[in-house]
Amino acid sequence: MVTGAGGPRRRLLPRGYGFAIAGIAVGMAGLVALGALADRISRFIDGGHRFVLGQISVAGAGLGTGAGFTAGGLLPKRTIDAIRRVPGVALVQAQVMLPLNPSTSELFSVNQELVLGVDLGVPTPNRNYPSFPIAHGRDLAPGDRGRVVVGAELAASRTLRPPASLRIGDRDFEVVGILERLLTAPDRFAIVPIEDARDLWLALDPTVRALYRTGGTLAADDLNTGAAVGWTSGVDPDALAARIRREVAGVNVAAPGEVARQLSASTAFFRWLMVAVAGIGLLIGGLSLSNTVAAATFERIRDFGIKQALGASDGQLLGEVLRESLTVSLAGGVIGTVLAILAGLAIDARAAQAGQQLFLFSGRLVAFAVGFAAALGAVAGVYASVRILRVPPAEAIRRGA
Amino acid sequence: MLDVLRGVDVTLTPGEMLAVVGRSGSGKSTLLNLLGCLDRSDGGELWFGDERLTGAGRGSRARFRGRHLGFVFQAYHLIPELTVWENVLLAARYVGRARAEAEEAARKLLQRLGVAARVAHYPPTLSGGEQQRVAFCRAMLNDPAVILADEPTGNLDADNAGVLLAELRARAHDGGSAVLLVTHSAELAHSADRVLTLADGQLTPVGA
């Protein structure tokens, strides 16, 4: 009596593929992790590009005042008004940008912690960031004083969450909101009303303080390190920047195109690093995967011969190998991706204590990794099968014995 | 190039059990592989009834093997990653045989050969005799017109060898299959209806 058989079990895979799946998983974990590192760098750079391309940044002529992209000389109110009158200008928002910690924030230009004071009475002119998305709490509102919205990395590094307070200079600010993680510069911003930023600036800079308090012509509205300028629809922002430069005296104008080119030049190292990291990931992961699948297929050369003796056609065998290769590759790809994500999250949990995030596991990356694994696995399996099928069945059985 | 077989002319008749004997390296397995379309010859012709197999395409040869041939190897050649049940039914998969019918035939064969209790086991856990009986079930599943057995009892003890030999004889004499047995064992060859000797690439009747 034949019992317990119940028909052939339709398994996706015969036994013995565990090692192949493990090998693929390791290679794919490496690929996904390196891809996530590359994506993280890419997002940082692209975010910067997106920001500078969304506005014309203007600072006062000269050196030594302020920080970040508004670094330059003082930009008094009359100059801002002059900019506002230039044809093509839609919005001008006065800003004050200062280092959060004057003793250390200037050391790393791409990683500064900055105080950004914004004129809340004027809509943000940046076309690409009309407002920063808020993860917790709320955005600043006109009339706010002594309140701050904090970038995600800055908040994480200081474990801030509303309600909380943040000490800037010698003042405590009420944290009313935390920005979503943008993976670019604003992640390390402390955004405050411009009036508070001016007070901080005066407290920080004895020269400005002296000028302001000597009873001269410098009013509070004149204490701006720069301005963000928006343009009306249809206007070429680079042409408008050139016009502002021509028509308004005493300004340093950063045209979006020029800044983007400078940013590209300054971040070229990181871009190439990203390309190299992604390329190495693809190479290692791809070689590991294709080698494992091909080796697993070549190991079954005797099975090919036996199945041919039983009447299997080339098409049937190729179909079997294709199905098995796809299943093995997908299983290895998915397991490797999960391993990479778990490892990345664990590392990022530690890095978050310093306000950092090293990995970016995007849906695009995961989809690419799994698709790459499946496609390469299928190609490797079919390649190995075609090679085996060139061998006569008798020889295949003999070689595998 | 080495001429293994020269001027070999052999006809297998339904219901006949033919043994080919010869020393190791005499070309017995080569002959069996050529007759079983597992290899191609440099010359000569191969016919099955009025179907000319010489020059047939890979697909035609695969179909021929699946529908008309049953192989019994000395080393069993079961697939170790598949269970006994899966191994036996493999023979039906490639010829497009109805599943229920193939399963019924597999059950009968496994019971007849005394390995029905082992269906869920994997080949490496079976004894040599059990593995050969499973391999025999797989070879017989599609009721082949021609059975090609290469040293089928070479790795078996006397009891298992006796069982297998009796099955092969029954297939020939009761089932009408043509059985070609290649062996270097004179004792095994004597149980065949006709015995040919392969030496120096040529077949000659024993005693001729």
Side-chain angles (χ1 to χ4, degrees):
Chain A
M1 180 73 183
V2 178
T3 57
R9 281 180 291 153
R10 284 281 175 179
R11 291 184 301 190
L12 277 172
L13 288 174
R15 296 194 315 169
Y17 271 110
F19 187 74
I21 291 173
I24 292 168
V26 169
M28 290 306 296
L31 186 151
V32 172
L34 290 174
L37 275 173
D39 254 8
R40 171 67 182 89
I41 296 170
S42 176
R43 178 70 69 89
F44 179 80
I45 295 170
D46 288 346
H49 271 247
R50 194 161 167 251
F51 189 90
V52 299
L53 287 170
Q55 68 179 43
I56 299 168
S57 298
V58 181
L63 297 169
T65 308
F69 52 83
T70 64
L74 203 68
L75 189 69
K77 181 176 182 300
R78 66 176 181 284
T79 309
I80 289 176
D81 289 340
I83 295 169
R84 203 170 271 134
R85 288 192 296 271
V86 174
V89 170
L91 288 168
V92 182
Q93 185 186 50
Q95 295 179 340
V96 171
M97 195 167 256
L98 307 165
L100 184 67
N101 181 344
S103 63
T104 59
S105 283
E106 299 283 11
L107 293 177
F108 304 104
S109 60
V110 295
N111 219 12
Q112 286 173 304
E113 289 181 340
L114 296 170
V115 175
L116 174 63
V118 291
D119 182 354
L120 298 171
V122 178
T124 302
N126 194 300
R127 284 176 169 251
N128 295 329
Y129 289 97
S131 63
F132 292 126
I134 302 289
H136 304 288
R138 65 169 179 84
D139 204 351
L140 291 173
D144 273 337
R145 290 297 302 270
R147 295 187 174 120
V148 62
V149 169
V150 181
E153 281 188 16
L154 191 58
S157 67
R158 289 163 173 76
T159 58
L160 294 173
R161 183 132 186 199
S165 70
L166 174 66
R167 190 160 188 84
I168 306 175
D170 58 357
R171 287 181 57 190
D172 287 322
F173 282 75
E174 179 193 354
V175 178
V176 295
I178 308 290
L179 297 181
E180 282 182 14
R181 190 176 288 274
L182 301 168
L183 299 178
T184 190
D187 283 348
R188 305 180 76 81
F189 281 4
I191 303 171
V192 298
I194 196 166
E195 296 82 359
D196 290 325
R198 286 168 177 152
D199 290 344
L200 290 169
W201 189 9
L202 285 169
L204 185 70
D205 192 329
T207 308
V208 175
R209 192 165 60 240
L211 283 171
Y212 179 64
R213 289 182 179 161
T214 50
T217 56
L218 209 56
D221 289 352
D222 294 322
L223 296 178
N224 309 301
T225 64
V229 178
W231 54 89
T232 53
S233 295
V235 169
D236 175 4
D238 287 344
L240 179 59
R243 181 182 286 173
I244 293 170
R245 211 174 275 148
R246 277 196 312 273
E247 295 183 7
V248 181
V251 290
N252 281 334
V253 182
E258 288 172 14
V259 179
R261 277 192 293 278
Q262 287 170 9
L263 201 58
S264 288
S266 63
T267 57
F269 169 78
F270 290 104
R271 282 198 178 276
W272 282 107
L273 180 67
M274 179 194 72
V275 169
V277 165
I280 290 169
L282 275 177
L283 189 70
I284 293 172
L287 280 176
S288 163
L289 188 149
S290 55
N291 184 52
T292 304
V293 171
T297 308
F298 280 127
E299 274 179 10
R300 294 177 185 266
I301 185 168
R302 189 188 70 125
D303 295 0
F304 271 65
I306 294 167
K307 289 175 177 178
Q308 285 175 305
L310 294 173
S313 67
D314 292 356
Q316 286 170 322
L317 290 173
L318 279 173
E320 280 183 19
V321 169
L322 190 61
R323 191 180 66 243
E324 289 178 8
S325 302
L326 276 172
T327 310
V328 167
S329 307
L330 276 173
V334 169
I335 292 170
T337 302
V338 170
L339 284 176
I341 290 173
L342 291 176
L345 290 177
I347 293 169
D348 272 345
R350 295 292 301 273
Q353 294 168 7
Q356 298 293 335
Q357 180 186 334
L358 298 179
F359 299 95
L360 176 61
F361 295 99
S362 63
R364 190 185 61 168
L365 174 67
V366 170
F368 172 80
V370 174
F372 176 77
L376 201 59
V379 169
V382 169
Y383 165 76
S385 302
V386 169
R387 291 280 304 273
I388 292 173
L389 288 172
R390 287 182 188 164
V391 177
E395 175 68 16
I397 293 171
R398 197 162 43 242
R399 278 194 204 173
Chain B
M1 187 160 56
L2 183 67
D3 286 335
V4 179
L5 302 172
R6 286 172 292 167
V8 168
D9 188 358
V10 62
T11 302
L12 266 171
T13 310
E16 178 192 31
M17 186 162 164
L18 169 67
V20 173
V21 294
R23 288 185 298 183
S24 293
S26 61
K28 302 186 298 294
S29 295
T30 302
L31 173 65
L32 189 132
N33 288 335
L34 292 173
L35 294 175
C37 290
L38 295 179
D39 213 341
R40 286 183 186 272
S41 61
D42 298 317
E45 296 209 326
L46 180 65
W47 291 78
F48 175 73
D50 56 0
E51 183 183 353
R52 184 174 180 269
L53 296 169
T54 313
R58 294 174 63 92
S60 300
R61 291 161 72 87
R63 274 192 298 278
F64 169 70
R65 286 192 296 261
R67 288 176 185 162
H68 302 299
L69 298 186
F71 292 92
V72 183
F73 301 100
Q74 179 180 2
Y76 328 128
H77 290 330
L78 296 172
I79 294 178
E81 293 85 6
L82 301 180
T83 63
V84 163
W85 183 248
E86 291 166 333
N87 262 288
V88 172
L89 282 167
L90 206 54
R93 186 199 292 182
Y94 299 122
V95 297
R97 193 169 168 190
R99 186 170 161 174
E101 179 196 316
E103 286 183 2
E104 184 56 31
R107 281 192 189 92
K108 284 180 180 170
L109 276 166
L110 289 162
Q111 282 170 7
R112 181 181 164 91
L113 271 293
V115 281
R118 305 290 258 156
V119 286
H121 293 85
Y122 289 90
T125 66
L126 272 55
S127 69
E130 287 174 321
Q131 289 191 55
Q132 188 61 300
R133 280 182 275 160
V134 171
F136 183 81
C137 291
R138 186 179 67 182
M140 299 306 120
L141 187 69
N142 295 331
D143 285 322
V146 180
I147 298 166
L148 301 172
D150 188 359
E151 302 280 11
T153 60
N155 290 341
L156 302 182
D157 58 33
D159 288 347
N160 278 302
V163 169
L164 192 67
L165 197 57
E167 286 295 330
L168 286 170
R169 288 170 65 90
R171 280 278 157 181
H173 298 153
D174 304 335
S177 296
V179 177
L180 174 65
L181 191 67
V182 302
T183 180
H184 62 269
S185 162
E187 187 184 343
L188 183 62
H190 285 145
S191 61
D193 304 317
R194 186 159 58 106
V195 182
L196 299 173
T197 300
L198 182 61
D200 298 327
Q202 295 189 317
L203 277 175
T204 52
V206 167

